[in-house]
Amino acid sequence: MNCYCGNSKTYNACCEVFHLNNGKTKTAEQLMRSRYSAFVLANGDYLMQTHHRSTRPISEKKEIVKWAKSVQWIKLEVLETTKGLENDTEATVTFNAYFYNAKKVEVIHEKSAFIKENNHWKYLGLHTVSQNNYK
């Protein structure tokens, strides 16, 4: 089975590597993909670990995990990545994350900002966001 993030590798050879090494990815897109897989698995610890300390919603961790478990994740589409390579210090990744919620398909469209801190990529927050419902 392919990894939850949409790569053709298995989860064990893809996002699980980052889930086990505390999010030490080479690129911002790898971190974003591994965070999507963490949502699929409701891995709140990883989501908090890879969220930049200045914007980390620690008090919301339980609610985030509860919500992640309440929906059925369908797929991730990465639409655009700006910067975010090994030698960069900032990046944006635009994506669509599809899921079932109350028998309808919904999509989170997000342009996420990432920053490198102590040589590790961190999710900084939303650059822009919208959510659409599909029937």
Side-chain angles (χ1 to χ4, degrees):
M1 184 179 107
N2 290 353
C3 188
Y4 305 108
C5 77
N7 280 334
S8 58
K9 298 178 184 177
T10 64
Y11 168 71
N12 296 32
C14 190
C15 288
E16 185 180 42
V17 172
F18 306 123
H19 291 171
L20 294 174
N21 76 8
N22 300 319
K24 294 176 185 163
T25 63
K26 291 183 180 181
T27 69
E29 183 176 322
Q30 285 176 327
L31 182 65
M32 191 281 307
R33 287 179 176 277
S34 70
R35 284 178 54 82
Y36 172 83
S37 290
F39 271 102
V40 172
L41 298 169
N43 184 343
D45 291 336
Y46 185 78
L47 293 169
M48 293 301 119
Q49 239 173 5
T50 57
H51 203 121
H52 192 269
R53 59 186 157 80
S54 69
T55 56
R56 188 179 299 141
I58 293 174
S59 64
E60 298 172 28
K61 179 181 167 186
K62 286 182 183 178
E63 291 80 18
I64 291 168
V65 168
K66 183 179 177 182
W67 177 78
K69 288 179 177 179
S70 75
V71 300
Q72 181 183 357
W73 296 94
I74 301 169
K75 70 176 178 174
L76 172 70
E77 289 178 331
V78 176
L79 304 173
E80 180 182 36
T81 301
T82 305
K83 297 186 181 178
L85 300 176
E86 269 187 274
N87 295 324
D88 292 323
T89 58
E90 59 184 35
T92 60
V93 180
T94 306
F95 66 90
N96 289 329
Y98 296 87
F99 59 95
Y100 287 110
N101 187 20
K103 298 185 181 183
K104 62 185 170 195
V105 176
E106 296 189 38
V107 62
I108 297 170
H109 176 76
E110 181 175 318
K111 184 174 186 179
S112 299
F114 294 85
I115 191 167
K116 196 178 266 188
E117 178 181 69
N118 297 326
N119 212 28
H120 292 95
W121 284 107
K122 298 287 183 179
Y123 171 71
L124 189 57
L126 304 179
H127 210 268
T128 58
V129 65
S130 66
Q131 186 169 325
N132 298 312
N133 298 328
Y134 296 95
K135 294 184 181 183

